[in-house]
Amino acid sequence: MSTTTRRLDTTELEDRVKHMYEEVALEPQREFHFETGRPLAERLGYPAADLDRIPAAAIDSFAGVGYFLDLAAIEPGETVLDLGSGSGMDSFLAALATGPDGRVLGLDMTDAQLAKASGLAAEAGLATVEFRNAYIERPPVEDGSVDCVISNGVINLSPDKPAVFAAAARALRPGGRLALADIVSAEQLPEGVTCDASLWAACIGGAMQRDRYREAIEGAGFEIVTVRENDQYHFVSDRAGNATRKYGVKSISLLARRTAA
Ligand SMILES: C[S@@+](CC[C@H](N)C(=O)[O-])C[C@H]1O[C@@H](n2cnc3c(N)ncnc32)[C@H](O)[C@@H]1O
């Protein structure tokens, strides 16, 4: 009898994620496995008055899973790193909070998302926000140079979540914050789901079991301050909805602080 362990094909996953989020950047009005745009952002809790102050096209391509900027509590003058910045909505909102003396760096691996976000920043004359092509597992920033790392709907897509949390901890100054929204599951997902690159790209297959997710964050040198469930977030397709109900796949917002050591 042979026992074969299925593996996720990470090259296929990267291709699928890039393809999916290229479409989110270029054709945000299309239907995806997940919701997008301003109605989603407002339902998740983004204040309409803040959304009115940033480029509307960035909001059209918003594909995040929760509101967490209240937890981030970004102050004027701070340096913020956005992991998986997409078309830039959270980066632009962070730039409102950091003001002219702060700086926001958004990282993404999908060219169309970067082109859209950079174009919108240039059009709006937002000189304190920059977008770069990079993997969130290896952010190109100096150790200890960031006050707050933010991320929305992205870390679940990484096949190496401990590497992402370790990179965030390295980028942050001691006492710096990690504030994010992401997808986790109540139960460990079975291989049939975790090895399906299309379910990963739809933000389900990569959901880590929630206790393991907390352990990965703490193991990277963070103290978790707040975890909040985002009941307003739902997946759209039947397949996604079934996995969600069966394994308790959920959106959470979370704040953690980098410990001093
Ligand atoms: C669900 S979208 C969220 C985008 C944005 N945060 C938002 O809220 O609209 C995920 C984004 O993460 C990017 N991404 C996924 N995995 C990545 C990785 N390992 N490194 C860099 N970017 C990644 C994708 O290209 C995509 O733009």
Side-chain angles (χ1 to χ4, degrees):
M1 198 174 82
S2 76
T3 51
T4 51
T5 307
R6 286 182 62 190
R7 276 183 194 282
L8 175 73
D9 180 336
T10 52
T11 308
E12 183 195 352
L13 173 65
E14 182 171 331
D15 288 348
R16 279 185 187 259
V17 169
K18 284 181 169 167
H19 182 67
M20 184 166 292
Y21 293 102
E22 178 180 281
E23 291 186 351
V24 170
L26 300 178
E27 297 178 73
Q29 67 292 344
R30 266 201 42 194
E31 281 210 1
F32 298 96
H33 282 287
F34 43 84
E35 288 179 88
T36 52
R38 182 154 182 151
L40 169 66
E42 288 197 19
R43 179 150 44 77
L44 291 176
Y46 282 85
D50 291 347
L51 296 174
D52 288 341
R53 296 174 63 202
I54 63 166
I59 306 170
D60 292 342
S61 292
F62 170 64
V65 300
Y67 182 60
F68 61 93
L69 289 171
D70 55 331
L71 302 177
I74 296 166
E75 298 279 346
E78 286 195 320
T79 296
V80 176
L81 176 66
D82 186 359
L83 299 179
S85 43
S87 289
M89 189 181 101
D90 287 315
S91 293
F92 293 132
L93 291 169
L96 293 181
T98 61
D101 298 329
R103 190 170 160 246
V104 180
L105 176 62
L107 305 180
D108 208 285
M109 67 179 186
T110 302
D111 291 336
Q113 294 271 49
L114 286 165
K116 183 163 184 173
S118 302
L120 291 171
E123 259 173 44
L126 291 167
T128 59
V129 195
E130 187 193 340
F131 295 96
R132 276 199 227 160
N133 192 332
Y135 290 105
I136 59 171
E137 294 82 0
R138 298 189 288 282
V141 297
E142 264 180 49
D143 289 3
S145 63
V146 172
D147 298 296
C148 186
V149 171
I150 61 173
S151 185
N152 198 345
V154 182
I155 299 172
N156 69 88
L157 294 168
S158 172
D160 192 353
K161 295 166 185 55
V164 179
F165 294 129
R170 265 197 310 278
L172 284 167
R173 61 168 170 76
R177 290 106 61 213
L178 169 67
L180 58 82
D182 202 9
I183 301 293
V184 295
S185 65
E187 288 178 39
Q188 169 67 44
L189 298 174
E191 278 183 5
V193 177
T194 59
C195 296
D196 182 326
S198 73
L199 277 179
W200 268 72
C203 284
I204 293 165
M208 201 177 206
Q209 199 278 335
R210 55 190 309 157
D211 301 324
R212 305 288 92 72
Y213 191 87
R214 288 182 70 116
E215 285 162 17
I217 294 175
E218 288 165 346
F222 288 98
E223 178 193 351
I224 294 176
V225 180
T226 309
V227 181
R228 181 168 79 197
E229 293 195 356
N230 299 317
D231 293 330
Q232 321 85 326
Y233 186 77
H234 323 284
F235 290 97
V236 176
S237 71
D238 285 349
R239 191 157 177 237
N242 288 342
T244 305
R245 278 186 295 280
K246 196 158 175 200
Y247 304 109
V249 177
K250 258 204 168 276
S251 163
I252 55 162
S253 293
L254 177 149
L255 173 68
R257 201 170 287 281
R258 198 199 131 179
T259 50

